[in-house]
Amino acid sequence: LSGFSDEEQKVIKTIKEQEGIQQSTLRYKLGVSKTGLSLLLKSLEERDIITRKASGKTNEIYLRKKF
């Protein structure tokens, strides 16, 4: 996973382990602030690495590309 920051690599690995993980669950697993995670996910989404799908008050996160 070269080309990604350490934080981005952790996010991608965690999503890979559990496709469709809820954003709130991802936050607890990684120990990241809501804002920090949101910015990381926005960056990954803009680069077409992940996609977010609304699910109630949170989002489900999916990988768009295989790693």
Side-chain angles (χ1 to χ4, degrees):
L1 292 172
S2 60
F4 295 105
S5 71
D6 289 346
E7 289 293 320
E8 289 172 334
Q9 288 182 30
K10 288 179 192 172
V11 169
I12 291 168
K13 285 178 186 171
T14 306
I15 297 168
K16 191 175 176 181
E17 290 168 7
Q18 188 180 339
E19 273 287 315
I21 189 171
Q22 291 191 336
Q23 191 166 328
S24 52
T25 306
L26 185 59
R27 186 167 72 86
Y28 288 116
K29 280 191 170 191
L30 297 175
V32 181
S33 70
K34 260 187 180 178
T35 308
L37 180 60
S38 188
L39 291 171
L40 274 170
L41 293 175
K42 183 178 184 224
S43 167
L44 290 171
E45 195 169 30
E46 286 171 351
R47 287 154 47 200
D48 253 5
I49 308 299
I50 63 155
T51 184
R52 292 192 263 193
K53 190 174 107 186
S55 172
K57 291 185 177 182
T58 188
N59 292 309
E60 292 176 350
I61 316 297
Y62 298 92
L63 286 177
R64 295 191 99 164
K65 298 179 177 168
K66 297 290 176 211
F67 292 95

Coordinates of all heavy atoms in Angstrom, one line a residue:
L1 N 0.8 -1.2 0.0 CA 0.0 0.0 0.0 C 0.9 1.3 0.0 O 0.7 2.1 0.8 CB -0.9 0.0 1.2 CG -2.0 -1.0 1.3 CD1 -2.7 -1.0 2.6 CD2 -3.0 -0.9 0.2
S2 N 1.8 1.3 -0.9 CA 2.7 2.5 -1.0 C 1.9 3.6 -1.6 O 0.9 3.4 -2.3 CB 3.9 2.2 -1.8 OG 3.6 1.8 -3.1
G3 N 2.3 4.8 -1.2 CA 1.5 6.0 -1.7 C 0.4 6.4 -0.8 O -0.3 7.4 -1.1
F4 N 0.3 5.7 0.3 CA -0.7 6.1 1.3 C 0.0 6.4 2.6 O 1.0 5.8 2.9 CB -1.7 4.9 1.5 CG -2.6 4.6 0.3 CD1 -2.3 3.5 -0.4 CD2 -3.6 5.4 0.0 CE1 -3.1 3.2 -1.5 CE2 -4.4 5.1 -1.1 CZ -4.1 4.0 -1.9
S5 N -0.6 7.3 3.4 CA -0.1 7.6 4.7 C -0.3 6.4 5.6 O -1.1 5.6 5.3 CB -0.7 8.9 5.3 OG -2.1 8.6 5.6
D6 N 0.3 6.4 6.8 CA 0.1 5.3 7.7 C -1.3 5.2 8.1 O -1.9 4.1 8.2 CB 1.0 5.5 9.0 CG 2.5 5.3 8.7 OD1 2.8 4.7 7.6 OD2 3.3 5.6 9.6
E7 N -2.0 6.4 8.4 CA -3.4 6.4 8.8 C -4.3 5.8 7.7 O -5.2 5.1 7.9 CB -3.8 7.8 9.2 CG -3.2 8.4 10.4 CD -3.7 7.6 11.7 OE1 -4.9 7.3 11.8 OE2 -2.9 7.3 12.6
E8 N -4.0 6.2 6.5 CA -4.8 5.8 5.3 C -4.6 4.3 5.2 O -5.6 3.5 4.9 CB -4.4 6.5 4.0 CG -4.8 7.9 4.0 CD -4.3 8.7 2.8 OE1 -3.2 8.3 2.3 OE2 -4.9 9.7 2.4
Q9 N -3.4 3.7 5.4 CA -3.2 2.3 5.3 C -4.0 1.6 6.3 O -4.6 0.5 6.0 CB -1.7 2.0 5.4 CG -0.9 2.4 4.2 CD 0.6 2.1 4.4 OE1 0.9 1.1 5.0 NE2 1.5 2.8 3.7
K10 N -4.1 2.1 7.5 CA -4.8 1.4 8.6 C -6.3 1.4 8.2 O -7.0 0.4 8.4 CB -4.7 2.2 9.9 CG -3.3 2.0 10.6 CD -3.2 2.9 11.9 CE -1.8 2.9 12.4 NZ -1.7 3.9 13.5
V11 N -6.8 2.5 7.7 CA -8.2 2.6 7.3 C -8.5 1.6 6.2 O -9.5 0.8 6.3 CB -8.6 4.0 6.8 CG1 -9.9 4.1 6.1 CG2 -8.5 5.0 7.9
I12 N -7.7 1.5 5.2 CA -7.9 0.6 4.1 C -7.8 -0.9 4.6 O -8.7 -1.7 4.2 CB -6.8 0.8 3.0 CG1 -7.1 2.2 2.3 CG2 -6.9 -0.3 1.9 CD1 -6.0 2.6 1.4
K13 N -6.9 -1.2 5.4 CA -6.8 -2.6 5.9 C -8.0 -2.9 6.8 O -8.5 -4.1 6.6 CB -5.5 -2.7 6.8 CG -4.2 -2.8 6.0 CD -3.0 -2.9 6.9 CE -1.7 -2.8 6.1 NZ -0.5 -2.7 6.9
T14 N -8.5 -2.0 7.6 CA -9.6 -2.3 8.4 C -10.9 -2.5 7.6 O -11.7 -3.4 7.8 CB -9.9 -1.2 9.4 OG1 -8.6 -1.0 10.2 CG2 -11.0 -1.5 10.4
I15 N -11.1 -1.7 6.5 CA -12.2 -1.8 5.6 C -12.1 -3.1 4.9 O -13.1 -3.8 4.7 CB -12.3 -0.6 4.7 CG1 -12.5 0.7 5.4 CG2 -13.4 -0.8 3.7 CD1 -12.4 1.9 4.6
K16 N -10.9 -3.5 4.5 CA -10.7 -4.7 3.8 C -11.1 -5.9 4.6 O -11.7 -6.9 4.1 CB -9.2 -4.8 3.4 CG -8.9 -5.9 2.4 CD -7.4 -5.9 2.0 CE -7.0 -7.0 1.2 NZ -5.6 -7.0 0.8
E17 N -10.8 -5.9 5.9 CA -11.2 -6.9 6.8 C -12.7 -7.0 7.0 O -13.2 -8.1 7.3 CB -10.5 -6.7 8.2 CG -9.0 -6.9 8.2 CD -8.4 -6.4 9.5 OE1 -9.1 -6.0 10.5 OE2 -7.1 -6.4 9.6
Q18 N -13.4 -5.9 6.9 CA -14.8 -5.9 7.2 C -15.5 -4.9 6.2 O -15.7 -3.8 6.5 CB -15.1 -5.5 8.6 CG -16.6 -5.6 9.0 CD -16.8 -5.2 10.4 OE1 -15.9 -5.1 11.2 NE2 -18.1 -4.8 10.7
E19 N -15.8 -5.4 5.0 CA -16.5 -4.6 4.0 C -17.8 -4.1 4.5 O -18.5 -4.9 5.2 CB -16.7 -5.5 2.7 CG -15.6 -5.5 1.7 CD -15.4 -4.2 0.9 OE1 -16.4 -3.6 0.4 OE2 -14.2 -3.8 0.8
G20 N -18.1 -2.9 4.2 CA -19.4 -2.4 4.7 C -19.4 -2.0 6.2 O -20.4 -1.8 6.8
I21 N -18.2 -1.8 6.7 CA -18.0 -1.4 8.1 C -18.7 0.0 8.3 O -18.6 0.8 7.4 CB -16.6 -1.4 8.6 CG1 -16.4 -1.2 10.1 CG2 -15.8 -0.4 7.8 CD1 -15.0 -1.4 10.6
Q22 N -19.3 0.2 9.4 CA -19.9 1.5 9.7 C -18.8 2.4 10.1 O -17.9 2.1 10.7 CB -21.0 1.4 10.8 CG -22.2 0.6 10.4 CD -23.3 0.7 11.4 OE1 -23.1 1.0 12.6 NE2 -24.5 0.5 10.9
Q23 N -19.0 3.7 9.7 CA -18.0 4.7 10.0 C -17.8 4.8 11.5 O -16.6 5.0 11.9 CB -18.5 6.0 9.4 CG -17.4 7.1 9.4 CD -17.8 8.3 8.5 OE1 -18.5 8.1 7.5 NE2 -17.3 9.5 8.9
S24 N -18.8 4.7 12.3 CA -18.7 4.9 13.7 C -17.8 3.7 14.3 O -17.0 3.9 15.2 CB -20.0 4.9 14.4 OG -20.8 3.8 14.0
T25 N -18.0 2.5 13.8 CA -17.3 1.3 14.2 C -15.8 1.5 13.8 O -14.9 1.2 14.6 CB -17.8 0.0 13.6 OG1 -19.2 -0.1 13.9 CG2 -17.1 -1.2 14.1
L26 N -15.6 1.9 12.6 CA -14.2 2.2 12.1 C -13.5 3.2 13.0 O -12.3 3.0 13.3 CB -14.3 2.7 10.6 CG -13.0 2.9 9.9 CD1 -12.3 1.6 9.7 CD2 -13.3 3.5 8.5
R27 N -14.2 4.2 13.4 CA -13.6 5.2 14.3 C -13.1 4.6 15.6 O -12.0 4.9 16.1 CB -14.6 6.3 14.5 CG -14.1 7.5 15.3 CD -15.0 8.6 15.2 NE -16.2 8.5 16.0 CZ -16.3 8.8 17.3 NH1 -15.3 9.3 18.0 NH2 -17.4 8.6 18.0
Y28 N -14.0 3.7 16.2 CA -13.6 3.1 17.5 C -12.4 2.1 17.3 O -11.5 2.1 18.1 CB -14.8 2.4 18.1 CG -15.8 3.4 18.7 CD1 -17.0 3.5 18.2 CD2 -15.4 4.3 19.7 CE1 -18.0 4.4 18.6 CE2 -16.3 5.2 20.2 CZ -17.6 5.2 19.7 OH -18.5 6.2 20.1
K29 N -12.4 1.4 16.2 CA -11.4 0.4 15.9 C -10.0 1.1 15.8 O -9.0 0.6 16.1 CB -11.7 -0.4 14.7 CG -12.6 -1.6 15.0 CD -12.7 -2.5 13.8 CE -13.5 -3.7 14.1 NZ -13.4 -4.8 13.1
L30 N -10.0 2.3 15.1 CA -8.8 3.0 14.8 C -8.4 4.0 15.9 O -7.3 4.5 15.9 CB -8.9 3.7 13.5 CG -9.1 2.8 12.3 CD1 -9.4 3.6 11.0 CD2 -7.9 1.9 12.1
G31 N -9.4 4.3 16.8 CA -9.1 5.3 17.8 C -8.8 6.7 17.2 O -7.9 7.4 17.7
V32 N -9.6 7.1 16.2 CA -9.4 8.4 15.5 C -10.6 9.2 15.9 O -11.7 8.7 16.1 CB -9.3 8.1 14.0 CG1 -9.1 9.4 13.2 CG2 -8.2 7.1 13.7
S33 N -10.4 10.6 15.9 CA -11.5 11.5 16.1 C -12.5 11.5 14.9 O -12.1 11.1 13.8 CB -11.0 12.9 16.3 OG -10.5 13.4 15.1
K34 N -13.7 11.9 15.2 CA -14.7 11.9 14.1 C -14.2 12.8 13.0 O -14.3 12.4 11.8 CB -16.0 12.6 14.7 CG -17.1 11.6 15.1 CD -18.3 12.4 15.4 CE -19.4 11.5 15.8 NZ -20.6 12.2 16.2
T35 N -13.7 13.9 13.3 CA -13.2 14.8 12.2 C -12.1 14.2 11.5 O -12.0 14.3 10.2 CB -12.8 16.2 12.9 OG1 -13.9 16.7 13.7 CG2 -12.5 17.2 11.8
G36 N -11.1 13.7 12.2 CA -9.9 13.1 11.6 C -10.3 12.0 10.6 O -9.8 11.9 9.5
L37 N -11.2 11.1 11.1 CA -11.6 10.0 10.2 C -12.4 10.5 9.0 O -12.2 10.1 7.9 CB -12.5 9.0 11.0 CG -13.0 7.8 10.2 CD1 -11.8 7.0 9.6 CD2 -13.9 6.9 11.0
S38 N -13.3 11.5 9.2 CA -14.0 12.1 8.1 C -13.1 12.7 7.0 O -13.4 12.5 5.9 CB -15.0 13.1 8.7 OG -15.9 13.6 7.7
L39 N -12.1 13.4 7.5 CA -11.2 13.9 6.5 C -10.4 12.9 5.8 O -10.2 13.0 4.5 CB -10.2 14.9 7.2 CG -10.8 16.2 7.7 CD1 -9.8 17.0 8.6 CD2 -11.3 17.1 6.6
L40 N -10.0 11.8 6.5 CA -9.3 10.7 5.8 C -10.2 10.0 4.8 O -9.7 9.8 3.7 CB -8.9 9.6 6.9 CG -7.6 9.8 7.6 CD1 -7.5 8.8 8.8 CD2 -6.4 9.6 6.7
L41 N -11.4 9.8 5.2 CA -12.3 9.1 4.3 C -12.7 10.0 3.1 O -12.8 9.5 1.9 CB -13.6 8.7 5.0 CG -13.5 7.6 6.1 CD1 -14.8 7.4 6.8 CD2 -13.0 6.3 5.5
K42 N -12.8 11.3 3.3 CA -13.0 12.2 2.2 C -11.9 12.2 1.2 O -12.1 12.1 0.0 CB -13.2 13.6 2.7 CG -13.6 14.6 1.7 CD -13.8 16.0 2.3 CE -14.2 17.0 1.1 NZ -13.5 18.2 1.2
S43 N -10.7 12.2 1.7 CA -9.5 12.1 0.8 C -9.5 10.8 0.0 O -9.2 10.8 -1.2 CB -8.2 12.2 1.7 OG -7.1 11.9 0.9
L44 N -9.8 9.7 0.7 CA -9.8 8.4 0.0 C -10.9 8.3 -1.0 O -10.8 7.7 -2.1 CB -9.9 7.2 1.0 CG -8.7 7.0 1.9 CD1 -9.0 6.0 3.0 CD2 -7.5 6.5 1.1
E45 N -12.1 8.9 -0.7 CA -13.2 8.9 -1.6 C -12.9 9.7 -2.8 O -13.3 9.3 -3.9 CB -14.4 9.5 -0.8 CG -15.7 9.2 -1.5 CD -16.9 9.5 -0.6 OE1 -16.9 10.4 0.2 OE2 -18.0 8.9 -0.8
E46 N -12.3 10.9 -2.7 CA -11.9 11.7 -3.8 C -11.0 11.0 -4.7 O -11.0 11.3 -5.9 CB -11.3 13.1 -3.3 CG -12.3 14.0 -2.7 CD -11.7 15.2 -2.0 OE1 -10.5 15.3 -1.8 OE2 -12.5 16.1 -1.7
R47 N -10.1 10.1 -4.2 CA -9.2 9.4 -5.0 C -9.8 8.1 -5.5 O -9.0 7.2 -6.1 CB -7.9 9.2 -4.2 CG -7.1 10.4 -4.1 CD -6.2 10.6 -2.9 NE -5.3 9.5 -2.6 CZ -4.8 9.3 -1.4 NH1 -5.0 10.1 -0.4 NH2 -4.0 8.3 -1.2
D48 N -11.1 7.9 -5.3 CA -11.8 6.7 -5.8 C -11.3 5.4 -5.2 O -11.3 4.3 -5.8 CB -11.7 6.6 -7.4 CG -13.0 6.9 -8.0 OD1 -13.9 7.3 -7.3 OD2 -13.1 6.8 -9.3
I49 N -10.8 5.4 -3.9 CA -10.4 4.2 -3.2 C -11.5 3.6 -2.5 O -11.7 2.4 -2.5 CB -9.3 4.6 -2.2 CG1 -8.1 5.4 -2.9 CG2 -8.7 3.3 -1.6 CD1 -7.4 4.7 -4.0
I50 N -12.4 4.4 -1.9 CA -13.5 3.9 -1.2 C -14.8 4.6 -1.6 O -14.8 5.6 -2.4 CB -13.4 4.2 0.4 CG1 -13.4 5.7 0.6 CG2 -12.2 3.5 0.9 CD1 -13.8 6.1 2.0
T51 N -15.9 4.1 -1.2 CA -17.2 4.7 -1.4 C -18.0 4.6 -0.1 O -17.8 3.7 0.7 CB -18.0 4.0 -2.5 OG1 -19.2 4.7 -2.7 CG2 -18.3 2.6 -2.2
R52 N -18.7 5.7 0.2 CA -19.5 5.8 1.5 C -21.0 5.7 1.1 O -21.5 6.3 0.2 CB -19.3 7.1 2.2 CG -17.9 7.2 2.8 CD -17.8 8.3 3.8 NE -17.3 9.5 3.1 CZ -16.9 10.6 3.8 NH1 -16.9 10.6 5.1 NH2 -16.4 11.6 3.1
K53 N -21.7 4.8 1.8 CA -23.2 4.7 1.6 C -23.9 5.0 2.9 O -23.6 4.5 3.9 CB -23.5 3.2 1.2 CG -24.9 3.0 0.7 CD -25.0 1.6 0.1 CE -25.8 0.8 1.1 NZ -26.0 -0.6 0.8
A54 N -24.8 6.0 2.8 CA -25.6 6.4 4.0 C -26.3 5.2 4.6 O -26.9 4.4 3.9 CB -26.5 7.5 3.7
S55 N -26.2 5.1 5.9 CA -26.9 4.0 6.7 C -27.4 4.6 8.0 O -26.7 4.6 9.0 CB -26.0 2.8 6.9 OG -26.6 1.9 7.7
G56 N -28.7 5.1 8.0 CA -29.2 5.7 9.2 C -28.4 7.0 9.5 O -28.2 7.8 8.6
K57 N -27.8 7.0 10.7 CA -27.1 8.2 11.1 C -25.6 8.1 10.8 O -24.8 9.0 11.1 CB -27.3 8.5 12.6 CG -28.6 9.0 13.0 CD -28.7 9.3 14.5 CE -30.1 9.9 14.8 NZ -30.2 10.3 16.2
T58 N -25.2 7.0 10.3 CA -23.8 6.8 9.9 C -23.6 6.4 8.5 O -24.6 6.5 7.7 CB -23.2 5.8 10.9 OG1 -21.7 5.7 10.7 CG2 -23.7 4.4 10.7
N59 N -22.4 6.0 8.1 CA -22.2 5.6 6.7 C -21.5 4.2 6.8 O -20.8 3.9 7.7 CB -21.1 6.5 6.0 CG -21.7 7.9 5.8 OD1 -22.8 8.0 5.2 ND2 -21.0 8.9 6.2
E60 N -21.8 3.4 5.7 CA -21.1 2.2 5.5 C -20.0 2.4 4.5 O -20.2 3.1 3.5 CB -22.1 1.1 5.0 CG -23.2 0.7 5.9 CD -24.2 -0.3 5.4 OE1 -24.2 -0.5 4.1 OE2 -25.0 -0.8 6.1
I61 N -18.8 1.9 4.8 CA -17.7 2.2 4.0 C -17.3 0.9 3.2 O -17.2 -0.2 3.7 CB -16.5 2.6 4.8 CG1 -16.9 3.6 5.9 CG2 -15.3 3.1 4.0 CD1 -17.4 4.9 5.4
Y62 N -17.1 1.1 1.9 CA -16.7 0.0 1.0 C -15.5 0.4 0.2 O -15.3 1.5 -0.2 CB -17.8 -0.3 0.0 CG -19.1 -0.8 0.6 CD1 -20.1 0.1 1.0 CD2 -19.3 -2.2 0.9 CE1 -21.3 -0.3 1.6 CE2 -20.5 -2.6 1.5 CZ -21.5 -1.7 1.9 OH -22.6 -2.1 2.5
L63 N -14.6 -0.6 -0.1 CA -13.5 -0.4 -1.0 C -14.0 -0.4 -2.4 O -14.8 -1.3 -2.8 CB -12.4 -1.5 -0.8 CG -11.6 -1.4 0.5 CD1 -10.6 -2.6 0.5 CD2 -10.8 -0.1 0.6
R64 N -13.5 0.5 -3.3 CA -13.8 0.4 -4.7 C -12.8 -0.4 -5.5 O -13.1 -0.9 -6.5 CB -13.9 1.9 -5.2 CG -15.0 2.7 -4.6 CD -15.1 3.9 -5.4 NE -16.3 3.7 -6.3 CZ -16.9 4.7 -6.9 NH1 -16.5 5.9 -6.8 NH2 -17.9 4.4 -7.7
K65 N -11.6 -0.4 -4.9 CA -10.5 -1.1 -5.6 C -10.0 -2.2 -4.7 O -10.1 -2.2 -3.5 CB -9.4 -0.2 -5.9 CG -9.8 0.9 -6.8 CD -8.6 1.9 -7.1 CE -9.1 2.9 -8.1 NZ -8.2 4.0 -8.3
K66 N -9.5 -3.3 -5.2 CA -8.9 -4.4 -4.5 C -7.5 -4.2 -4.1 O -6.7 -3.7 -5.0 CB -9.1 -5.7 -5.2 CG -10.5 -6.1 -5.5 CD -11.2 -6.5 -4.3 CE -12.7 -6.8 -4.5 NZ -13.5 -6.5 -3.4
F67 N -7.1 -4.4 -2.9 CA -5.7 -4.3 -2.4 C -5.2 -5.6 -1.9 O -5.9 -6.3 -1.3 CB -5.6 -3.2 -1.4 CG -5.9 -1.8 -1.9 CD1 -7.2 -1.3 -1.8 CD2 -4.9 -1.1 -2.5 CE1 -7.4 0.0 -2.3 CE2 -5.2 0.2 -3.0 CZ -6.4 0.7 -2.9

